[in-house]
Amino acid sequence: MTIPEAVTVISSNGNYAFSGNQFTEVILNNNITKIGGSAFNKCEQLLKVRVSGKPDDYSVVLPDALTELKNMVFQYCSSLEGCVKLPDALASIGSQMFQDTRIGTIYMPNNENATYSSKFFTKYNGQCCCIPNEGIV
């Protein structure tokens, strides 16, 4: 599935925009600023999320313009594995983002003002979370 260039917010009345769909890949545009809660929740066949025109060095690559990820965006995407790179512009990160996925490593944004839900790592079974050392006091 490809999200058109004109779309800047992924949401369906706030939540569950594509929840439960069976696509294997999502291609985002680099203009998306917000992904609503549970947007891809229970997309059990999802293997890759990438941005059109950007290298796909990770299993999940998100748009550079993204500033807000609501709760449970990729929850129960049981086929999603590998690494995630969260963009540096990301300022607000919701809870249970990767619950019951097979994501092994999360590269956190290099943004000292980013706020995280206290339940961001709930049921995250990964091996590593990499926090950049730039900007950390």
Side-chain angles (χ1 to χ4, degrees), residues 14-15 34-37 68-73 92-95 97:
N15 296 309
K34 176 183 174 183
I35 299 178
E68 185 175 6
L69 269 176
K70 289 297 207 174
N71 298 331
M72 302 174 279
V73 170
S92 177
I93 305 168
S95 68
M97 193 63 52

Side-chain angles (χ1 to χ4, degrees), residues 48-98:
K48 191 142 189 94
V49 178
R50 63 184 184 92
V51 176
S52 179
K54 285 183 69 176
D56 59 350
D57 300 333
Y58 306 96
S59 299
V60 177
V61 177
L62 298 171
D64 293 332
L66 189 67
T67 59
E68 185 175 6
L69 269 176
K70 289 297 207 174
N71 298 331
M72 302 174 279
V73 170
F74 298 106
Q75 183 186 46
Y76 304 127
C77 293
S78 55
S79 297
L80 200 55
E81 61 184 4
C83 299
V84 174
K85 171 65 175 94
L86 298 179
D88 291 339
L90 199 53
S92 177
I93 305 168
S95 68
Q96 299 166 295
M97 193 63 52
F98 301 103

